[in-house]
Amino acid sequence: HEIDGRLSILFMPCYGDSPDYMSGRASIIQLEQDEDGHDLDPMDPDSWSAPQHVTRTDGSELNAESGVSLDMTFFTDAEGQAYYAWQQVCTTWIATVDPSEPTQLTSEPVSIIEPEYAWDNSCAEGPNVHTRDGQLLMIYSGSSVGDTYTTGLATAAASGTDLTDPDSWDKLNYPLQKSGKFDGEWQLGTGHGMWSQDEDGNLIYVFHARTDHLGLTGRDMF
């Protein structure tokens, strides 16, 4: 993401001698700039800031009592207000953030998408937002990482609404994507995608899936 004019990576590092998934916390690194405001070389690891956890308004951990936080994304509404959305306790949360201080939320986290249907029954994670025709389109991944993984959609007005109010979001009761055949080839466990655009400005969607039953491994990009 570009946050306050700086190339930024939101990710979940895990620490310790073993890959303890539950130690992961939503974190950020940013590309440093020189005194004239020019980006340093992004291929040089020393050009990046040290990872920092994204914290609550009081500086405490997002998930001190509830385990992992991950899949954080950044977006703004039509009025310029910035937000983070992320997964925590298998639901999607949202809070406001000041882009000039991206390591700390400016509002209390609120859960806006919870798993409730057969196709997203265990988790609602991996949010990503695209703005179109006055609407915020938030895709997310439902169910669990495996053949049952699906892609859901929640929408909200891009202006004139409190996006930290769960009632501002309308959630489809069916998935946009699920396991099936596309052009004669299997795509299993479609999910955790993101909106982007190609060099000509065309909207594209990137997601992962598998072409055969390999459990949690073997995921390819589509």
Side-chain angles (χ1 to χ4, degrees):
H1 294 282
E2 183 179 321
I3 300 178
D4 197 31
R6 296 179 65 184
L7 186 62
S8 307
I9 298 176
L10 296 166
F11 70 114
M12 185 198 73
C14 294
Y15 301 100
D17 295 332
S18 63
D20 181 8
Y21 180 71
M22 296 308 292
S23 73
R25 299 289 184 268
S27 303
I28 185 172
I29 60 174
Q30 293 188 293
L31 186 63
E32 303 287 9
Q33 298 175 329
D34 63 22
E35 59 184 14
D36 295 321
H38 299 134
D39 289 343
L40 300 184
D41 179 9
M43 298 295 289
D44 182 355
D46 292 334
S47 297
W48 293 88
S49 64
Q52 289 185 267
H53 292 171
V54 176
T55 65
R56 293 173 177 264
T57 57
D58 62 0
S60 64
E61 293 283 358
L62 276 183
N63 47 325
E65 300 176 354
S66 57
V68 68
S69 60
L70 72 164
D71 297 347
M72 184 168 277
T73 193
F74 172 85
F75 69 97
T76 59
D77 63 18
E79 296 164 355
Q81 175 62 58
Y83 299 85
Y84 281 146
W86 70 96
Q87 191 259 81
Q88 187 174 315
V89 292
C90 273
T91 66
T92 295
W93 296 68
I94 194 174
T96 59
V97 63
D98 180 353
S100 66
E101 298 182 4
T103 61
Q104 193 167 39
L105 305 180
T106 56
S107 70
E108 288 302 307
V110 177
S111 174
I112 56 171
I113 304 176
E114 298 182 359
E116 59 181 310
Y117 300 111
W119 55 269
D120 69 351
N121 58 84
S122 59
C123 209
E125 61 184 8
N128 195 253
V129 177
H130 173 64
T131 304
R132 179 171 179 173
D133 297 333
Q135 291 284 304
L136 296 169
L137 310 176
M138 179 181 286
I139 52 174
Y140 69 96
S141 294
S143 190
S144 58
V145 180
D147 291 351
T148 61
Y149 220 29
T150 55
T151 304
L153 176 70
T155 62
S159 63
T161 186
D162 178 9
L163 297 179
T164 63
D165 180 356
D167 290 336
S168 297
W169 295 88
D170 294 317
K171 174 180 165 182
L172 288 187
N173 60 5
Y174 59 89
L176 296 183
Q177 278 184 305
K178 61 181 180 179
S179 294
K181 283 190 173 181
F182 183 79
D183 284 347
E185 300 290 336
W186 279 103
Q187 291 181 352
L188 300 171
T190 58
H192 205 145
M194 63 167 290
W195 307 101
S196 189
Q197 57 183 332
D198 65 15
E199 61 271 25
D200 297 317
N202 298 308
L203 184 66
I204 59 174
Y205 176 65
V206 184
F207 62 98
H208 69 61
R210 296 187 311 282
T211 56
D212 51 27
H213 299 274
L214 295 173
L216 301 183
T217 63
R219 287 180 282 175
D220 298 320
M221 181 161 52
F222 291 82

